[in-house]
Amino acid sequence: SVSSMGNSTSRLYSALTKTLSSSAVSQHQDCLEQPDSARLDPIDPKDLLQECQIVLQKRPPRFQRDFVDLQKNAASNHRPIRVMQWNILAQALGEGKDNFVQCPMEALKWEERKCLILEEILAYKPDILCLQEVDHYFDTFEPLLSRLGYQCTFFPKPWSPCLDVEQNNGPDGCALFFVKDRFELINSANIRLTAMKLKTNQVAIAQTLKCNETGRLFCIAVTHLKARTGWERFRSAQGCDLLQNLKSITQGAKIPLIICGDFNAEPTEEVYREFSNSSLNLNSAYKLLSPDGQSEPPYTTWKIRPSGECRHTLDYIWYSQHALNVNSALGLLTEEQIGPNRLPSFNYPSDHLSLVCDFSFSQDPDRLL
């Protein structure tokens, strides 16, 4: 039980369970970057993991997923950079608008669901973490991840659908976290995506980082495009706008690029083709798991709503294939693991699967351009 914990873990437990009042959150809505949280004590990730496991002790254990080695003989002169992409499902939407008919409300309780999310992050230890649908940034992710050594940035949607839900926790948006010991922030841009010259409700964050070990620069971007069938042309326009912004930031691909996102688009959509055929020379990392290296996974989200069952590939990690190698990628959950009620569930906190890749810099990127 919780009462048996010692002083240091009790303090940690209070950090884990503490939530800001909604008035405190509303004061923060205009803040896109938090002040440095160095004043707070660092957290040992093992302690935080243990705390999460205490909260989750009545839940089934986390699913086993294995990394698939994709670079059999590639020699690298530096530690790989682990990047994690994940739409974590906004709490207000999970409990409110999304209406997961096969998922018990009990499985969606934030006090436990946040521990499942944190457990997944702590298990894979990403150097860079790209999240969508974050509506508990100021009371959960920023305070905890900054104490784990991450630099944190958040960009909320201007008109987040979470705000329509009673007792919401503020707007959802994209969040980007990187390990401060490994990278130096050179430049950061918050991008509100446009479509047909109109500003939209979708956003992106793009940061140029310097890898301390190699001195190499690269750009990491996170985004979440417009959802729903019927919005394909809109998504395509948003994708074009993002690519234009990234061409400028990377000086036309001189700086290697990794883009993580929930694109809300199957590989058959125009926006997918735009990224595939871009002058930035991008490839989708998860295609490399397929036997021919040309096919996306069969699904990255699988849910049941009143309208029926939805199984789609919508989430991607794009990368500059001339400048970066994908050393390994985390395998997806099998249909058997997911189970007949699909996602989210007592086992898994989101309706989207997390994607995780280990990248290394190519030895001679210019030769391949």
Side-chain angles (χ1 to χ4, degrees), residues 56 116 147 166 168 182 193 201 258 317 326 337 361:
L56 297 171
L116 271 182
R147 293 172 69 189
E166 272 188 63
N168 65 73
R182 286 208 72 183
L193 298 174
N201 192 33
I258 299 169
I317 300 179
V326 186
Q337 284 175 311
F361 291 107

Side-chain angles (χ1 to χ4, degrees), residues 29 87 89-99 132-135 154-174 200-203 224-228 238 262 264 305:
Q29 281 174 16
N87 177 334
L89 173 61
Q91 185 61 21
L93 301 183
E95 287 187 305
K97 295 183 158 198
D98 276 353
N99 207 349
Q132 298 86 33
E133 289 200 25
V134 178
D135 63 347
F154 176 60
F155 193 20
K157 291 175 188 161
W159 320 297
S160 164
C162 294
L163 299 175
D164 299 335
V165 178
E166 272 188 63
Q167 297 180 308
N168 65 73
N169 199 62
D172 77 302
C174 291
T200 72
N201 192 33
Q202 278 65 45
V203 299
H224 187 187
L225 302 188
K226 174 79 182 127
R228 306 275 180 270
Q238 288 183 325
D262 173 359
N264 275 308
R305 285 184 169 141

